[in-house]
């Protein structure tokens, strides 16, 4: 489905979601201080509340410094406009960038931006959801031959059974495995 998720509107977020195979909430709640740019990883609070690390590749490593543009504190992903300073809609101080005054990008807004940007690529024309980036990343890793335990390490799923939807690779995979481990193949290896 989705291999190149770097759309113009939110390529940084889409690329980071795809490369880390993290949950969108985990990435959207990142603060600049959570990033370890040198080791290409970020500290996230997982679904169960544990502190874990997600890792990214070269494309994200190149995009993040431009996204941060010198910021050293506050949310990584920011809304388009400044956060309201008062009234009941004012966000918590931790959700406002001290440099720009812009608030943290919300899940609904991020989802809308991504669906809009990916609509032209989607065969149905609806655009993809943020969660589909996680599914795509894991599906592509499984298709590339990664084991279920490797997928579990990357995705941080608690149970291997949760990964069943990603490792169904079809008849071709079954035929290849059978051929590689059949008696004729074992005789050739000696």
């Amino acid at each position: 489905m989705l291999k190149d998720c770097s759309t113009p509107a939110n390529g940084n977020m889409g690329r980071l979601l795809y490369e880390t195979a993290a949950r969108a909430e985990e990435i959207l709640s990142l603060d600049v201080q959570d990033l370890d740019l040198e080791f290409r990883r970020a500290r996230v609070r997982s679904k169960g509340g544990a502190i874990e690390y997600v890792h990214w590749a070269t494309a994200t490593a190149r995009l993040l410094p431009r996204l941060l543009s010198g910021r050293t504190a506050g949310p990584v992903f920011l809304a388009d406009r400044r956060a309201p300073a008062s009234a009941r809609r004012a966000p918590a101080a931790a959700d406002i960038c001290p440099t720009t005054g812009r608030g943290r990008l919300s899940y609904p807004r991020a989802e809308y931006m991504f669906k809009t940007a990916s609509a032209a690529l989607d065969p149905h024309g609806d655009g993809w959801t943020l969660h589909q980036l996680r599914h795509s990343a894991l599906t592509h890793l499984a298709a590339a031959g990664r084991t279920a335990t490797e997928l579990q390490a990357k995705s941080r799923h608690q149970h291997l059974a949760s990964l069943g939807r990603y490792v169904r690779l079809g008849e071709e995979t079954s035929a290849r495995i059978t051929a590689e481990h059949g008696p004729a193949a074992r005789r050739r290896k000696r």
Side-chain angles (χ1 to χ4, degrees):
M1 175 190 47
L2 184 61
K3 191 74 168 187
D4 181 18
C5 56
S6 54
T7 56
N10 54 359
N12 297 308
M13 180 189 50
R15 176 57 56 193
L16 184 59
L17 282 168
Y18 180 80
E19 288 185 0
T20 61
R23 293 171 186 88
E25 300 87 12
E26 294 169 339
I27 297 303
L28 289 171
S29 65
L30 283 175
D31 289 324
V32 176
Q33 308 89 287
D34 297 325
L35 302 176
D36 183 348
L37 298 176
E38 182 181 356
F39 293 103
R40 296 181 179 182
R41 66 183 187 169
R43 185 179 56 242
V44 297
R45 185 168 301 279
S46 70
K47 196 174 180 179
I51 301 296
E52 299 176 322
Y53 285 90
V54 295
H55 300 265
W56 60 79
T58 303
T60 295
R62 289 183 180 145
L63 291 170
L64 280 174
R66 285 186 273 164
L67 172 71
L68 299 177
S69 63
R71 294 185 292 127
T72 58
V76 171
F77 296 101
L78 302 173
D80 293 336
R81 38 185 120 127
R82 293 178 60 86
S86 61
R88 49 175 219 227
R89 291 187 28 211
D95 289 334
I96 300 175
C97 175
T99 306
T100 65
R102 292 164 46 199
R104 183 181 306 278
L105 182 63
S106 70
Y107 189 102
R109 180 66 179 156
E111 178 103 325
Y112 170 79
M113 290 169 52
F114 187 72
K115 285 188 99 166
T116 302
S118 63
L121 302 171
D122 180 9
H124 304 289
D126 298 330
W128 292 305
T129 66
L130 294 175
H131 192 68
Q132 284 174 299
L133 288 167
R134 179 174 167 87
H135 285 277
S136 292
L138 295 173
T139 301
H140 294 146
L141 288 170
R146 296 299 181 181
T147 66
T149 52
E150 289 174 320
L151 296 178
Q152 183 180 27
K154 180 71 175 169
S155 67
R156 297 165 297 107
H157 277 92
Q158 294 297 313
H159 306 285
L160 278 173
S162 303
L163 298 167
R165 67 173 18 149
Y166 308 112
V167 293
R168 289 191 201 124
L169 300 176
E171 183 183 350
E172 297 85 17
T173 304
S174 175
R176 181 179 48 79
I177 291 169
T178 303
E180 289 173 359
H181 297 286
R186 284 195 300 262
R187 280 192 297 272
R188 283 192 300 256
K189 288 182 183 179
R190 292 181 196 176

